[in-house]
């Protein structure tokens, strides 16, 4: 054996120390794009030293915890995403009833777009099928006079699984013109901590708030709360006709410090309560990357805080910003528990969509705690699978429990639901749909019932453009996640399905989607099922 060359000993020791430090408990552990557990709370800044990812097909040795990898590429990131376990097929004879809450969030699609444009693989947890599908406007009918929403249903062949079919359920709430919207009491809750001091964060927040300010009316009132290590009232309640004062407060926003989100939330809700408008729009708008690291940092504690505040009649909108340390799981939870919605802002155009074009839906809630329950006819469908809405699934008994919280819908919003099912021989009634909702200030829900016929054998090509486009978006999400249910949903097939359903596309959103499919990085193969389906 050759003697050790001591000139290289310091280098070797440094390398060993770095390797050991990567295995310590304070190091970010979400090595893989497919690994969707939340990053440890100690990862508090967007610029962190991250462990090097294992090579494709390699392994992590020593005391490092092995990553849960279900797609075969890796990324370095301090971002966190909730684990999404796809809904499985259910035998209709054993469980004919499917119950879940509505979801109008759109953050997942905008976040996926950010990854694709950056040439990166998309983390599995970032792909939520319902948010991707519901990002797009659809030409659904307006509700009848006096009704909160309209409902339509359609069935056709499933394009990625021969022999199966898709059921599309579509809801649309009534439109409310900006001039007809009730007076608004809004509180901007702005994260100005050090983690927000990047060009795609706080400067983008300022652009978004300026866009929202442009649409204010004299009867609207705006306050602004900032939070970092400490919180403060940056702008007391100010009338919408004093836009110059509001814009000056926005320009004065500056980043720096740690993130005490809990204290900021307390102050923002207090400001909203002091200026509460009975019968008006009372809402806190949180703009952050979700990186709370001072004060209340535990996600369960934040959940309890927001759940308590939601009982005050003040709703919450959550706007996520930035990359590298986006705490998507925290932001989604805050919106869900705060009777609100969650959008991700990756560009000025997205800010204009959320805060200007879709402002009525973002700000004005018209139906609260919207729950859907579908009861299948075992003679018409042998098994079924709900596509997406994994974190909205609830026990069947909770459908009638008015104390059980669910998703809300704003003015002019649309909810699209897709089920994949294996048809049986019988015709007649396929399923019965029941929907519960509350008026924004009501404590008791009302229920409406609809029937869906199993008749007809409509092919996928014969289905409506909205049906085919929603199916294409769903297939894209499954393909990105490496879903074992994706079947024939290849990149070429998805482009064909979406291209043939582009139709009337005034905002260019469908054209943009087709471009994303062309650029996206797909896993090399689907995740294997734990058991045969």
């Amino acid at each position: 054996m050759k003697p050790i060359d001591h000139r290289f000993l310091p280098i070797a020791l440094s390398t060993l120390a770095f390797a050991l430090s990567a295995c310590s408990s304070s190091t970010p552990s979400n090595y893989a794009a497919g690994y969707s557990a939340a990053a440890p709370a100690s990862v508090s800044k967007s610029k962190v030293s991250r462990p090097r990812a294992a090579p494709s097909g390699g392994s992590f040795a020593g005391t490092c915890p092995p990553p849960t990898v279900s797609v075969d590429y890796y990324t370095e990131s301090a971002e966190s995403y909730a684990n999404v376990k796809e809904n499985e097929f259910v035998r209709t004879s054993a469980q004919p009833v499917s119950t879940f809450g509505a979801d109008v969030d759109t953050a997942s699609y905008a976040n996926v777009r950010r990854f694709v444009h950056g040439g990166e693989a998309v983390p599995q947890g970032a792909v939520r099928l319902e948010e991707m599908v519901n990002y797009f406007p659809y030409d659904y009918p307006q509700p009848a006079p006096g009704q909160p929403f309209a409902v339509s249903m359609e069935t056709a062949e499933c394009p990625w699984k021969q022999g199966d079919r898709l059921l599309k359920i579509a809801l649309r709430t009534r439109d409310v013109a900006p001039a007809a919207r009730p007076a608004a009491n809004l509180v901007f809750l702005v994260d100005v901590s050090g983690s927000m001091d990047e060009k795609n964060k706080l400067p983008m927040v300022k652009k978004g708030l300026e866009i929202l300010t442009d649409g204010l009316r004299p009867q609207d009132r705006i306050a602004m709360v900032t939070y970092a290590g400490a919180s403060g009232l940056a702008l007391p309640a100010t009338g919408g006709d004093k836009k110059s004062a509001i814009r000056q407060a926005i320009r004065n926003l500056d980043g720096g410090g740690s993130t005490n989100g809990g204290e900021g939330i307390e102050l923002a809700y207090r400001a909203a309560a002091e200026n509460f408008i009975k019968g008006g729009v009372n809402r806190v708008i949180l703009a952050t990357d979700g990186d709370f690291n001072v004060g209340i940092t535990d996600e369960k504690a934040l959940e309890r805080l927001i759940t308590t505040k939601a009982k005050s009649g003040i709703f919450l909108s959550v706007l996520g910003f930035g990359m590298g340390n986006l705490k998507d799981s925290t932001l989604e939870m805050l919106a869900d528990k705060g009777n609100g919605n969650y959008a991700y802002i990756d560009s000025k155009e997205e800010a204009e969509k959320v805060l200007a074009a879709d402002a009525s839906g973002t700000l004005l809630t018209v139906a609260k705690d919207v729950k859907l329950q579908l009861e299948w006819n075992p003679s018409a469908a042998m098994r079924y699978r709900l596509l997406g809405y994994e974190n909205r699934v609830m026990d069947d008994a909770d459908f009638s429990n008015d104390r059980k919280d669910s998703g809300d819908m704003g003015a002019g919003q649309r909810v699209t639901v897709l089920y994949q099912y294996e048809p049986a021989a019988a015709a007649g009634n396929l399923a019965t749909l029941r929907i519960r909702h509350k008026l924004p200030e009501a404590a008791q829900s009302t229920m409406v019932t609809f029937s869906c016929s199993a008749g007809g054998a409509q092919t996928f090509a014969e289905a409506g453009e909205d049906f085919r486009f929603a199916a294409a978006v769903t297939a894209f999400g499954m393909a990105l996640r490496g879903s074992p249910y994706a079947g024939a949903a290849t990149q070429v097939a998805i482009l064909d399905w979406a291209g043939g359903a582009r139709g009337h596309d005034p905002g260019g959103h469908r054209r943009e989607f087709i471009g994303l499919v062309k650029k996206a990085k797909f896993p090399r193969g689907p995740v294997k099922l734990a058991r045969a389906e």
Side-chain angles (χ1 to χ4, degrees):
M1 176 184 293
K2 292 184 179 180
I4 296 175
D5 190 335
H6 294 282
R7 293 176 300 172
F8 298 106
L9 187 57
I11 298 174
L13 290 174
S14 298
T15 303
L16 178 60
F18 174 79
L20 291 174
S21 68
C23 299
S24 69
S25 61
S26 62
T27 303
S29 61
N30 53 331
Y31 298 103
Y35 180 60
S36 52
S42 57
V43 182
S44 59
K45 295 183 179 179
S46 58
K47 296 178 180 178
V48 295
S49 297
R50 304 184 182 96
R52 186 170 60 188
S56 179
S59 62
F60 292 86
T63 59
C64 294
T68 304
V69 182
S70 51
V71 291
D72 49 8
Y73 27 58
Y74 299 83
T75 188
E76 297 178 354
S77 176
E79 300 189 8
S80 68
Y81 296 92
N83 183 45
V84 178
K85 184 180 183 298
E86 287 190 272
N87 294 322
E88 298 179 345
F89 275 102
V90 177
R91 289 286 172 185
T92 311
S93 57
Q95 188 177 331
V97 178
S98 170
T99 307
F100 63 99
D103 188 358
V104 295
D105 294 347
T106 60
S108 179
Y109 178 78
N111 195 23
V112 165
R113 178 176 60 201
R114 183 252 300 186
F115 279 106
V116 173
H117 282 323
E120 300 179 66
V122 181
Q124 274 193 321
V127 182
R128 293 185 288 275
L129 299 184
E130 68 279 8
E131 293 185 24
M132 295 187 67
V133 171
N134 288 330
Y135 179 88
F136 298 90
Y138 299 96
D139 189 22
Y140 297 156
Q142 286 274 5
Q147 298 298 317
F149 42 72
V151 177
S152 57
M153 290 179 277
E154 184 179 6
T155 64
E157 289 176 338
C158 176
W160 56 81
K161 177 67 186 302
Q162 187 174 5
D164 280 7
R165 296 183 66 79
L166 297 178
L167 165 64
K168 179 173 74 72
I169 301 170
L171 281 69
R172 179 177 177 172
T173 55
R174 57 183 171 84
D175 289 338
V176 175
R181 192 179 67 228
N185 164 39
L186 306 178
V187 178
F188 299 153
L189 175 55
V190 185
D191 182 353
V192 293
S193 63
S195 70
M196 291 289 289
D197 194 16
E198 297 181 9
K199 66 179 182 180
N200 57 9
K201 293 186 180 181
L202 191 54
M204 191 71 71
V205 171
K206 291 182 178 183
K207 290 180 182 177
L209 296 183
E210 288 172 354
I211 290 169
L212 185 58
T213 300
D214 290 339
L216 296 177
R217 304 159 304 171
Q219 63 267 39
D220 298 328
R221 292 200 293 260
I222 308 298
M224 189 182 303
V225 171
T226 60
Y227 68 93
S231 301
L233 187 64
L235 179 73
T238 302
D241 56 341
K242 296 180 174 59
K243 290 184 172 57
S244 59
I246 299 170
R247 292 194 181 100
Q248 185 59 51
I250 293 171
R251 286 193 292 268
N252 289 342
L253 295 174
D254 193 20
S258 51
T259 314
N260 192 338
E263 184 178 292
I265 290 168
E266 292 275 11
L267 182 55
Y269 274 91
R270 192 182 315 138
E274 290 172 354
N275 296 281
F276 192 89
I277 300 175
K278 187 172 179 59
V281 175
N282 297 279
R283 187 172 292 269
V284 171
I285 301 174
L286 171 61
T288 180
D289 59 7
D291 191 6
F292 303 147
N293 52 57
V294 173
I296 301 178
T297 59
D298 177 68
E299 190 164 301
K300 288 295 182 184
L302 282 169
E303 179 179 327
R304 288 192 294 271
L305 172 63
I306 288 294
T307 301
T308 300
K309 296 300 181 184
K311 297 175 183 177
S312 66
I314 298 167
F315 294 81
L316 178 71
S317 289
V318 178
L319 308 179
F321 292 84
M323 60 185 70
N325 71 327
L326 178 72
K327 303 302 182 250
D328 177 85
S329 55
T330 300
L331 299 183
E332 185 190 18
M333 177 275 295
L334 291 175
D336 290 350
K337 300 302 179 182
N339 285 342
N341 40 56
Y342 171 34
Y344 176 77
I345 309 296
D346 61 339
S347 64
K348 181 182 177 182
E349 291 73 23
E350 185 64 16
E352 290 173 341
K353 177 182 183 295
V354 173
L355 299 173
D358 298 342
S360 291
T362 302
L363 300 178
L364 178 59
T365 299
V366 297
K368 188 175 67 173
D369 292 339
V370 181
K371 303 174 185 177
L372 294 88
Q373 187 172 78
L374 194 71
E375 183 168 359
W376 292 85
N377 176 6
S379 298
M382 290 188 285
R383 62 176 190 163
Y384 64 89
R385 188 172 88 87
L386 174 62
L387 305 182
Y389 295 90
E390 282 84 1
N391 61 358
R392 301 284 181 161
V393 172
M394 60 179 64
D395 293 338
D396 296 338
D398 287 333
F399 179 74
S400 301
N401 182 0
D402 283 344
R403 292 176 296 178
K404 181 69 174 179
D405 189 53
S406 188
D408 304 333
M409 293 184 67
Q413 289 188 324
R414 300 152 176 84
V415 166
T416 301
V417 180
L418 286 176
Y419 278 93
Q420 180 178 344
Y421 68 97
E422 183 179 345
N429 188 54
L430 174 65
T432 299
L433 174 66
R434 293 181 284 270
I435 302 176
R436 281 193 176 274
H437 79 284
K438 301 172 188 171
L439 295 176
E441 297 179 356
Q444 188 172 355
S445 68
T446 57
M447 186 181 78
V448 290
T449 303
F450 306 87
S451 293
C452 178
S453 172
Q458 183 171 244
T459 67
F460 183 70
E462 293 169 338
E465 288 178 345
D466 286 341
F467 185 106
R468 287 179 283 127
F469 188 79
V473 176
T474 301
F476 179 57
M478 290 193 297
L480 285 178
R481 299 191 80 247
S483 170
Y485 302 103
T490 63
Q491 186 177 33
V492 172
I494 296 167
L495 286 171
D496 180 56
W497 302 333
R502 181 172 163 181
H504 182 55
D505 187 23
H509 301 302
R510 297 190 181 192
R511 181 184 69 248
E512 178 197 64
F513 171 77
I514 292 168
L516 281 188
V517 177
K518 292 178 180 177
K519 290 182 64 175
K521 290 184 176 180
F522 291 87
R524 295 194 185 101
V527 181
K528 292 183 179 179
L529 288 168
R531 57 182 176 80
E533 284 291 347

